[in-house]
Structures are given as C-alpha cells and as structure tokens.
Amino acid sequence: MTLPPRVVVLAAPSGGGKTTIARELLHRRPDTFGYSVSATTRKPRPGEREGEAYHFLTRAEFQRRVEAGEFLEWAEYAGELYGTLKSEVERVLASGQHVVLDIEVKGARQVRAVYPRPASVSIFIIPPSADALIERLRKRRTESHRELRERLAIAVREVRTAEEDVKSAIVFDHIVVNDDLDVAVKGVLGIVEDPDRVKHRTIETIHLLADFVRKLEHEAYQLGQSVKGST
Ligand code: 5GP
C-alpha cells in the first residue's frame, strides 16, 4: 500500500448499515484494512463475542480506563458508554493498515480533533430512505420499544448534525448512501484510497438529509404517542 495508513471513521444512525459496510471492507481487503474493536458497557447481544464485536467492560472498568487516558474518544449512547481504545488504533496503523472505526457522531467529532484530514477520513452513511432505516431498526428486534425510541431520537440528532455539517464538512468529509451494499463499499474504498478526492455534495443529498430528519422526527413522535397510549 503506497498511501500512509489512515483512520477511517464510519458513522451512521443506528440501523444505517455501517457495521455491514465495515465488515465487507475488511472481508474484501484484509491486507489493507484493520478494525478497531471498541470498548462498551452495553451487554452483549446474542452471538456477540468478547474481543470481536466489542470489549465488554463494566462501567467501573470503563471509567478507570477513561481516567488512565486509554481512549482516543468515548461517548455515551442510549445510556451506555462506548469508546475507541488508543491501543487498538495504534496497533492497526503500526501494521501499515487503514483502521476502520464504526462509531457514533460525537466520537467522530473527537477523532477529527486528534487526527485531522488527511490522517483521518470520515464518512457518514445513510440508508436510502428514512423508511428503510426505521424498517431496519424494527427488524433487529433486540431492542425494546423504549430502546427503539431512544435510538430513533439519537438518529434524528445524528442526521441533523450531518445535515448542518454539509456545507462546512467539519465532521464528515463524505456522505455515502447505502442503497446497494456493493456500490456503497466501492464508494467507501474510492474515498479512502484517494485522499485528494473532492467532496461531492449533491443537492439530492441535501434534500435526502432534510427529508430524513422530517420523517424520523415524525416516526419518533408516533412511537412516543403509542407508548403513552399503552401506559
Ligand atoms: P450498538 O449498541 O448498536 O452496537 O452501537 C450503538 C452506537 O454506538 C452505534 O452508533 C455505534 O457505531 C456506536 N459505537 C460503537 N463503538 C463506538 C466507539 O468506540 N465510540 C463511539 N463514540 N461510538 C461507538
């Protein structure tokens, strides 16, 4: 690889498909990409193994590591703590590979401050429509109604951040629509491997983000109403 290894930040609203894209990147280019396994206080979902999906920590252990300065970034998401360990990122970069971070938006902002462009590249991934995102979140079924509502509320905030960031591109260099997995993965590959690539923000993307915020807000409101109705 001729390009110096970069920190590749993939952020997306929950259900946006970033984990699938990250997995696919590593599968297609195992020599080029490495994954940073995050730490979290969230309980493992069925099938998630320690050290693969996450390092599962108690809150006390997580806090201890925060105080020891072991995190590149960390954030609270839906009541749980998530963070990127410096050791993970440094290990992958030292091996000459780009390191992929699958993180939420507050963390993406913090990474930007430590690894400015072009040492990092940050990509916001959105599903083709708000309906597709809601559908994916519902299908996951590992979350309770309350958790679903919480994740949806966070999704609204995250997409709004991306929308506000469209012109300044402080947090995100690129926005990729995850309609077709193959197209999205190729899009991400093209972005990572060309640090000079110019941001391409079409008016469609701007409209898509605005439409997303509107629909997600509506869905979050509906969910809120149905909770009230059932209690
Ligand atoms: P989940 O609980 O669905 O695995 O993840 C919830 C959210 O936390 C997702 O947006 C995911 O990308 C984000 N996340 C996972 N690891 C990290 C991390 O190390 N740092 C931050 N800031 N967010 C993370």
Side-chain angles (χ1 to χ4, degrees):
M1 188 169 61
T2 49
L3 198 67
R6 312 177 79 189
V7 177
V8 180
V9 174
L10 299 183
S14 186
K18 63 183 179 302
T19 309
T20 315
I21 293 183
R23 211 175 289 143
E24 198 57 27
L25 278 177
L26 292 152
H27 176 70
R28 288 191 195 183
R29 301 280 182 86
D31 299 334
T32 314
F33 291 92
Y35 188 68
S36 159
V37 179
S38 292
T40 185
T41 59
R42 153 165 101 54
K43 297 278 164 292
R45 292 193 186 118
E48 283 184 339
R49 285 210 296 259
E50 162 58 35
E52 280 182 18
Y54 286 105
H55 297 291
F56 295 99
L57 305 181
T58 61
R59 217 171 170 92
E61 176 62 10
F62 195 102
Q63 300 284 15
R64 190 195 66 73
R65 293 192 185 203
V66 168
E67 272 147 41
E70 290 184 22
F71 287 105
L72 167 61
E73 62 73 35
W74 67 275
E76 182 158 355
Y77 178 100
E80 301 292 351
L81 306 178
Y82 294 82
T84 304
L85 292 157
K86 288 179 187 165
S87 56
E88 286 282 317
V89 172
E90 285 159 11
R91 172 182 59 79
V92 179
L93 291 178
S95 74
Q97 294 176 309
H98 300 305
V99 58
V100 179
L101 273 55
D102 165 353
I103 61 179
E104 53 70 72
V105 170
K106 285 176 282 180
R109 203 184 279 279
Q110 294 172 51
V111 173
R112 238 33 244 274
V114 183
Y115 290 96
R117 240 176 261 131
S120 72
V121 57
S122 60
I123 305 168
F124 190 72
I125 294 162
I126 48 173
S129 70
D131 292 339
L133 183 131
I134 293 158
E135 193 52 33
R136 281 186 204 172
L137 270 181
R138 282 188 188 283
K139 269 202 197 128
R140 203 187 264 167
R141 290 182 190 283
T142 48
E143 281 100 37
S144 67
H145 195 81
R146 191 185 59 79
E147 283 164 338
L148 182 64
R149 205 157 47 108
E150 209 169 352
R151 280 174 181 254
L152 206 52
I154 296 171
V156 172
R157 286 203 296 276
E158 295 198 322
V159 179
R160 211 183 273 140
T161 303
E163 193 191 8
E164 286 161 7
D165 187 64
V166 158
K167 289 207 188 76
S168 58
I170 292 168
V171 187
F172 299 110
D173 298 318
H174 295 272
I175 292 170
V176 167
V177 179
N178 181 17
D179 191 353
D180 177 279
L181 180 64
D182 186 52
V183 175
V185 171
K186 285 184 179 143
V188 172
L189 278 172
I191 289 167
V192 176
E193 291 176 346
D194 180 1
D196 299 324
R197 182 140 151 175
V198 179
K199 294 179 291 293
H200 184 61
R201 302 268 161 101
T202 62
I203 195 79
E204 285 80 16
T205 312
I206 296 169
H207 285 159
L208 187 64
L209 287 171
D211 186 54
F212 242 92
V213 171
R214 240 190 346 264
K215 288 209 175 123
L216 290 180
E217 274 174 341
H218 179 72
E219 180 72 15
Y221 174 77
Q222 300 276 75
L223 263 176
Q225 291 300 98
S226 68
V227 167
K228 271 188 214 146
S230 64
T231 50

